Amino acid sequence: MSVHLADFPRFFGAVNHGLQPFSWQMRLVEHILREGRWPDQIDAPTGSGKSAVIEIHAFVNAVAACRSGLGKGTARPPRRLAITVDRRALVDDHSERADRLALLLANPRADPLVQSVANALRQMRAEGEEHTDMPLVTAKLRGGAKPDREWLDAPTACQVIAGTPDMIGSRLLFRGYGSTRFAWPREAGLLAFDTVMVVDEAHLNRQLVTTGRRIGQLVTEESSGIGVPPLGVCAMTATQADGIGQEIGVEAEDLEAGGSDATLADRLTRPKPVTIVPTSAWSPKRHDVDMMARQIADLVRQAHAEHGSTVGCVVNRVELALAVSRRLQTPAGRSRSESATGLGRSLEVVTLVGPMRPVELHNLRNEHSPLFTLAGDASVDVLVATQTVEVGMDLNLSCLVTQLASGSAIAQRAGRVNRSGDRPAGPVYVIVPDETAADMSTTRPYAGAEICEAYEWLKEIAESPLGLAPWSIHPRGGGMSPPAASLPRGVLHRPERWDVKEWARTGDWPVTEPWLDLWLSDSLDPDLAVGLLVRAGLPEDDTSARQQIAATPPLNHEVFPVSLPVWRTIASSPEESISRRRAFVVRPSGIEALSGREAVATFAFRPGDLVVLDSVKSISRQEGVITTESADGNEREDVGELPGGPDGRPKRRWVRLAASAPALRAKDGLIAGAVDLLSDVYRLVTASGGEDVGGGVQELVSGWLSSVPEADRGNDRLNLLAALLKSEDLEVVPAEYPAYDTRPSGIPDDFWVVLAGSEALADDESLQVWHPAKKANADKALNGEGSQPNTPREIRHPVQLAQHQQAVERLARLLTRELGLSDQLVTALSFAGLVHDEGKRDPRFQRLLRWREGDHPGLWLAKSGMTSQRAIGQAKAASGLPRGWRHEQLSAAIAWELAEDALLDQTDLVLRLIGTSHGRGRHEFPHTGRNLSDAELGLRGREALFERGGWDALLERTHRQWGTWGCAYLEALLRAADANVSRSGS
């Protein structure tokens, strides 16, 4: 069944509980299908349904895949939607909405039209890509969370990537925060092509809009020969300035009486009268914060008594929000008559601020799910929040009490009041400083000038009976628009070609990295985030703790996003942890252990860092928020193995087994039999001699799990453990102690073992030498080669070089054809895939792929099949390869001769793709041509490329022909083909 433009209303209703699209959303769908691109701007007031761009993106791609409704020669819509907004919680909202849609599309029992859309999206995929059963691929990129990577391996998929401006923008500039420098080119290339970047709250992200549009222009000028549409930028906001280029949005005609958009008319035109409430408590001093919290709480109680549930209370700072919440949840000292009216009772309060762990946000939304819909939740008296609620949330508040903020922020906050339009009116109370208050410069995060302009504007709005009704304050409606947000910097910056040339040298190590804020942020004040997570029972030995963290990579749901200033205050505080002060900094390049307060306080933390801490009392958490206030004396809960909420992306899960780990603990101590289990596992590991112990551990844990008392079987961690034991890709990682025999008896306190899905242990680097293949695929790769007796499990199923390269050639050809690349590019990428690993024929690398020197005689291997990190380390030590040696450098030298023999007209591009296939070689390799190999492999190519300067010249030539981002895009396609083949076991 094909999907057509006319199907959009029915599809939208099927995935949105029967709701019908508004007229402007229909016009947006029509525009994208007609033009093959998104408009330059979406101009829609608060409450108009801007978040529906996610469903629109999936639908237009499905129509394009069916080739329905498109004229001959019409460009297809971009496959990737990168939606960005400068609010971490709102990024999570966009991500969850995309995940829900992805899961619905993947549901075989979904509505028939939804199934048709899903099937159309599946048609876009190349055969051989992983997870082709997921019609929509989703990803989340924000500070304080481990960036998703699966989207990089699915270049043909319809994708939704939700992220903050710094995380998406840094990737466009070849400097992705939280990624290795070797992944930077892949990310930059894929985002610069076949992508529309929808910048939500564009009036607060003018620099990113400028940068994105400039990149689109440069890509168009440099890379037209690739044939894939360049990056497009769509600015989306409820407070749009004068239009630039093509614009789609709400029109006055849409709101006329009796029209099809009557629901939207009620949302946008119902009155929201404004009452200004002066206060003298305006400064950030502790006394004034307490006084303001009391005054706000009193006003909220009165508003609730008059207007009912749910009253919104939005303030500008986290500390004030927490103070207001505490006061509202404590019965007020009132007279008997006031108590009779309900003013004196404690209220049911939900607190929602940005720096919360996703697991707590998920639990909060589960507990009060109607609150975050237009239906509302009458059981919640008050929602206390910060700027988190300004965008993207379908709250339907009865009224609002808010602190004075910028005009655009006030407009957004008011948009959460009477959002459904069901009430006759939605009053708004704005707390402002009175004549005795301190000057308005103490208004972080807003500038004093912004606050003053907003105050004057609100005094005019207060005279209007419609108040802050969205259409009343829209330029095409009542015209009483809020004052434009001031630009916190003197001038916007645009990328130039000389900037791009330096950014593209991702393999170099410059003395100073570029200051990306110049091209990404409206404000040049540093306030980016790190992610904090707590782990109970980390080994006392730092080396063992690092190994355990590496085997249990941080999961997004367990991470507190904390701004760098707040973290620096915590790190330098005098309080000590329960045992001792230490932190483990997790970066793509590795894990660094910091011990002692001085080491933690003076370390140069960077945006995107993940910091693992022991469960400590020195970090204060109130209402699920990390603060810099005094400790409350409660340990932070370790939620690593607990469910993290709905997620449309593949899971990477693990369970730790140790005497101090949460999985084996009951309320009163260890679960019955846990000590015996650990003793048996410990003896098995110490007797293994370095061989794989996975099968034995699996048998021991399975037997113990079947004997666990019924009372302990409801443990979520044990449920996950049971699921992992049944999976085909189970991997077991034991603690590596340098000398087990020095412990005469008992179990070492630090002994542990991790059970995980193999994806949790696979990274881009290790996949070059081993694979997490299922046995059937591995056997097929070896054409039925039998296993030798007494051979460790991890070395039984290697992959032969010829089969691997042929599989990469095939997938590269399928990917490039599906994407519509020219015949010469299809030929170049498929040939590059066919010879990209020729450098692995070096005898030393072949030794690296064998646990024992005599294993697999007569075979040229591409992957060892080893899954034990200990076995891999032993083989690497025995290989004799010098530090920094790269097989792809030798592969490029060998391909120089092979391409010459094949008379390829794109030899430069082929060699570049091979040499940079793992992100190295941009622009230098650590070894000269004569040091690459003792054999005759690629001798003439080694001399031409790496002795006489040919490699640098080749990179410059390919940049001139295909463009900086164009080369990165083609590199990303070859890497995607290689990664997919490796993960499949070939």
Side-chain angles (χ1 to χ4, degrees), residues 4 123 518 576 612 676 899 964 979:
H4 303 268
Q123 292 175 22
L518 284 175
E576 291 297 327
V612 181
D676 291 338
T964 308

Side-chain angles (χ1 to χ4, degrees), residues 299-361:
L299 183 55
V300 167
R301 289 179 184 278
Q302 293 170 10
H304 181 265
E306 183 175 350
H307 303 291
S309 297
T310 300
V311 176
C313 176
V314 184
V315 298
N316 299 338
R317 305 286 293 175
V318 171
E319 290 78 9
L320 181 56
L322 299 177
V324 172
S325 292
R326 288 194 297 270
R327 286 192 171 274
L328 290 172
Q329 293 175 81
T330 303
R334 300 284 182 177
S335 67
R336 183 175 300 176
S337 60
E338 288 174 321
S339 297
T341 67
L343 286 173
R345 70 178 177 88
S346 61
L347 299 175
E348 180 66 29
V349 179
V350 168
T351 306
L352 185 63
V353 295
M356 299 176 72
R357 285 191 294 195
V359 66
E360 276 126 1
L361 286 171

Side-chain angles (χ1 to χ4, degrees), residues 341-342 357 364 587 651 676 769 780 842 869 968:
T341 67
R357 285 191 294 195
L364 179 64
R587 290 175 173 169
K651 295 289 186 184
D676 291 338
V769 297
K780 187 183 298 183
D842 186 282
Q869 293 297 326

Side-chain angles (χ1 to χ4, degrees), residues 152-153 155 186 190 804-805 807-813 815-816 819 821 825-826 828-837 888 909-918 967-982:
L152 294 172
D153 295 336
R186 297 181 71 193
L190 289 175
H804 173 70
Q805 295 197 120
V808 175
E809 176 205 23
R810 176 180 178 275
L811 185 51
R813 186 179 299 276
L815 286 175
T816 49
L819 292 166
L821 271 62
L825 288 179
V826 172
L829 268 92
S830 55
F831 186 84
L834 183 62
V835 299
H836 76 286
D837 270 352
E888 62 267 29
L909 179 60
V910 169
L911 299 184
R912 181 199 177 101
L913 294 176
I914 293 171
T916 61
S917 60
H918 294 293
C967 289
Y969 177 68
L970 298 175
E971 292 169 24
L973 298 185
L974 179 62
R975 183 69 195 113
D978 188 13
N980 276 286
V981 168
S982 295

Side-chain angles (χ1 to χ4, degrees), residues 443-462:
T443 54
R444 290 185 304 161
Y446 304 103
E450 282 184 302
I451 294 291
C452 292
E453 291 176 356
Y455 191 9
E456 296 301 318
W457 170 68
L458 280 170
K459 287 192 286 188
E460 293 183 24
I461 293 292

Side-chain angles (χ1 to χ4, degrees), residues 101-125:
L101 179 61
L103 290 173
L104 185 58
L105 288 167
N107 183 358
R109 296 184 295 277
D111 176 275
L113 177 58
V114 174
Q115 292 182 39
S116 296
V117 169
N119 291 335
L121 296 179
R122 290 188 182 98
Q123 292 175 22
M124 297 166 54
R125 307 294 299 277

Side-chain angles (χ1 to χ4, degrees), residues 671-672 703-713 718:
I671 296 174
W704 169 79
L705 200 57
S706 64
S707 67
V708 168
E710 192 68 32
D712 295 318
R713 291 193 178 183
L718 295 189

